[in-house]
Amino acid sequence: MFSNGKDAMNVEEIKREGIAINLDVAIEAFREKTDSNAKKSGRLFDEDLNQKDLKFLDVGCGIGSHLIVLRNNGIRNAFGFDIVSKLIDIAKNEYGLNNVMVANAMDIPLRSGSVNRVIFYNVIEHCSDPEKVMREIFRVLSEDGILYMDCPNA
């Protein structure tokens, strides 16, 4: 996802690469938004929450806000990934999510057609090759799948 082609980056690498983000500020914002995101997501996925057999993928899951909503509503087949390892560490260690990993959206480590719902919120604007990422998302999405996508200023 990053223009340097790396699959994951730690905080020091992010600083060296000059990526225009203060990761600590971003993490604080993620924490503050977790509750409001959970409420908004709950409304968005409302119809899906009754279908416990659906498989969800959260691309660019950050600290796992959407996954927390799904878990709290009894969805057990939900997993996510992010390219920033520190965010995945927080998702695991602070929110108890064991269904997250570090991965790159340009090479999603799943079989074709293996998920029913993809959550892709506020990520595409950070992608160096958004077309490739979208091809990967549609590759892993089942034929009757749904993509939930949001982009700032869209």
Side-chain angles (χ1 to χ4, degrees):
M1 188 178 312
F2 286 103
S3 57
N4 66 3
K6 287 195 171 222
D7 286 342
M9 298 180 87
N10 65 36
V11 176
E12 290 306 312
E13 289 173 315
I14 289 170
K15 289 176 183 173
R16 277 197 309 272
E17 292 293 325
I19 294 169
I21 185 171
N22 181 326
L23 192 57
D24 292 330
V25 171
I27 289 169
E28 244 352 272
F30 274 127
R31 286 187 175 121
E32 290 172 11
K33 288 186 172 186
T34 296
D35 288 336
S36 65
N37 283 348
K39 290 175 186 168
K40 185 167 64 170
S41 298
R43 288 190 302 271
L44 177 65
F45 311 135
D46 206 23
E47 292 179 26
D48 292 336
L49 295 177
N50 294 324
Q51 300 180 56
K52 304 299 184 200
D53 59 331
L54 291 177
K55 293 179 183 169
F56 285 81
L57 171 64
D58 190 354
V59 176
C61 68
I63 62 173
S65 307
H66 298 116
L67 297 170
I68 292 167
V69 170
L70 295 168
R71 176 182 66 188
N72 291 347
N73 283 279
I75 302 293
R76 297 292 170 231
N77 282 322
F79 45 99
F81 67 84
D82 202 289
I83 198 165
V84 181
S85 57
K86 185 169 184 174
L87 297 177
I88 295 301
D89 290 343
I90 291 169
K92 288 179 177 181
N93 299 325
E94 293 184 28
Y95 295 101
L97 296 171
N98 59 6
N99 52 343
V100 294
M101 65 183 205
V102 176
N104 189 321
M106 290 195 297
D107 186 24
I108 299 174
L110 296 173
R111 291 185 331 266
S112 297
S114 62
V115 296
N116 307 104
R117 303 292 185 264
V118 173
I119 303 163
F120 191 51
Y121 270 40
N122 301 321
V123 176
I124 197 164
E125 68 274 16
H126 302 289
C127 298
S128 62
D129 190 345
E131 288 182 24
K132 183 173 184 178
V133 170
M134 293 305 296
R135 281 192 301 274
E136 271 296 281
I137 286 172
F138 283 106
R139 180 186 65 77
V140 300
L141 195 59
S142 64
E143 281 188 33
D144 61 345
I146 294 175
L147 168 63
Y148 292 109
M149 182 176 173
D150 188 30
C151 179
N153 303 316

